[in-house]
Amino acid sequence: MLCAMDATASATTTAMPDTERPDQPGLLVIVSGPSGVGKSSITHELVRRLDANLIVSMTTRPMGPRDIDGQDYVFINEREFRDLVKLGQMLEYAQVYDNLYGTPKEPVEQAIADGETVILEIDVKGAQQIKQQMPHAVGIFIEPPSEADLLNRLRERKREDEATIQKRFQRASDEMQLAHDLGIYKYTVINDRLDQAIERAVELIEGELDERRG
Ligand code: 5GP
């Protein structure tokens, strides 16, 4: 986990215009950000504070020692994954590193229809697919204060060897660039200080909920 984030600076945000009017009772929030930026810590706290639904993704990646099947991900093999795609049961999916990751459609649609707040923690390509189907979804992109800071965080996790860290770092830089280029995220939250980043993300979602209620 990424809980050992430093506690020294602030969280800042920028907003992009979004003129979509929601046509469904629930709120769909997409949280993305590069590997190591602390998005899991933020997402879990959002779920707790907002009583939101975190939809568990499916993946073909091997289970890690700290992973819990059904809680962190539903771990399936590639054939099972491809079958679900064929059956139209994935809302979106993407290849990340060498593995497939996807969001199951039914639990998202059900929770939205029930008026709940749903949070997806997915990559930028997945977010792009969701925005095409559900333009009212609100995207929050979590960024590190700098690329150097991100590289430090990846190293401090001590999860991978240097070659893997460099691969993740390269992908992280590309992903940040893509997020900017696509312009699909309504908000950017800089995770300089974890507690402030969480606070800011909670405020943003509460603002969106108020707007929908109003
Ligand atoms: P990890 O294996 O480190 O948990 O996740 C690797 C990347 O996959 C992260 O950027 C994460 O946001 C992304 N990811 C996790 N679940 C999904 C999903 O359901 N769909 C997509 N498109 N990306 C996902």
Side-chain angles (χ1 to χ4, degrees), residues 31-35 39-40 55-59 61-62 67 72-73 81 90 92-97 99-104 120-127 129 157 159-160 168 171 175:
V31 178
S32 307
S35 206
K39 60 183 183 298
S40 297
I55 304 298
V56 180
S57 297
M58 297 186 154
T59 184
R61 91 147 156 71
D67 287 322
D72 296 298
Y73 288 103
F81 195 103
M90 290 292 191
E92 62 73 34
Y93 71 99
Q95 182 166 342
V96 182
Y97 310 110
N99 302 298
L100 295 165
Y101 292 79
T103 307
L120 304 179
E121 188 190 321
I122 60 176
D123 82 334
V124 176
K125 290 202 179 110
Q129 295 169 53
R157 299 198 299 186
R159 274 204 223 158
E160 299 109 353
R168 283 188 180 256
R171 184 176 188 276
E175 188 161 41

Side-chain angles (χ1 to χ4, degrees), residues 27-148:
L27 174 65
L28 181 59
V29 179
I30 305 167
V31 178
S32 307
S35 206
V37 78
K39 60 183 183 298
S40 297
S41 305
I42 293 172
T43 307
H44 282 98
E45 201 49 26
L46 289 179
V47 168
R48 197 183 69 77
R49 298 261 299 265
L50 297 162
D51 195 22
N53 257 290
L54 180 65
I55 304 298
V56 180
S57 297
M58 297 186 154
T59 184
T60 62
R61 91 147 156 71
M63 231 173 116
R66 289 195 222 151
D67 287 322
I68 301 173
D69 195 7
Q71 190 173 306
D72 296 298
Y73 288 103
V74 173
F75 293 90
I76 56 178
N77 66 36
E78 189 168 340
R79 215 192 54 166
E80 291 168 322
F81 195 103
R82 302 252 178 230
D83 283 348
L84 290 172
V85 172
K86 263 192 227 146
L87 291 168
Q89 290 180 13
M90 290 292 191
L91 195 55
E92 62 73 34
Y93 71 99
Q95 182 166 342
V96 182
Y97 310 110
D98 299 325
N99 302 298
L100 295 165
Y101 292 79
T103 307
K105 195 183 219 168
E106 200 274 332
V108 175
E109 291 184 342
Q110 187 61 55
I112 296 287
D114 290 346
E116 293 178 29
T117 300
V118 173
I119 300 188
L120 304 179
E121 188 190 321
I122 60 176
D123 82 334
V124 176
K125 290 202 179 110
Q128 186 183 20
Q129 295 169 53
I130 300 273
K131 282 292 278 184
Q132 280 161 2
Q133 299 171 67
M134 299 169 143
H136 58 277
V138 174
I140 301 179
F141 195 76
I142 315 288
E143 282 203 350
S146 67
E147 293 208 345

Side-chain angles (χ1 to χ4, degrees), residues 45-46 49-50 140 197-207:
E45 201 49 26
L46 289 179
R49 298 261 299 265
L50 297 162
I140 301 179
I198 290 167
E199 212 53 56
R200 189 65 190 127
V202 168
E203 272 172 30
L204 291 170
I205 298 175
E206 281 176 343

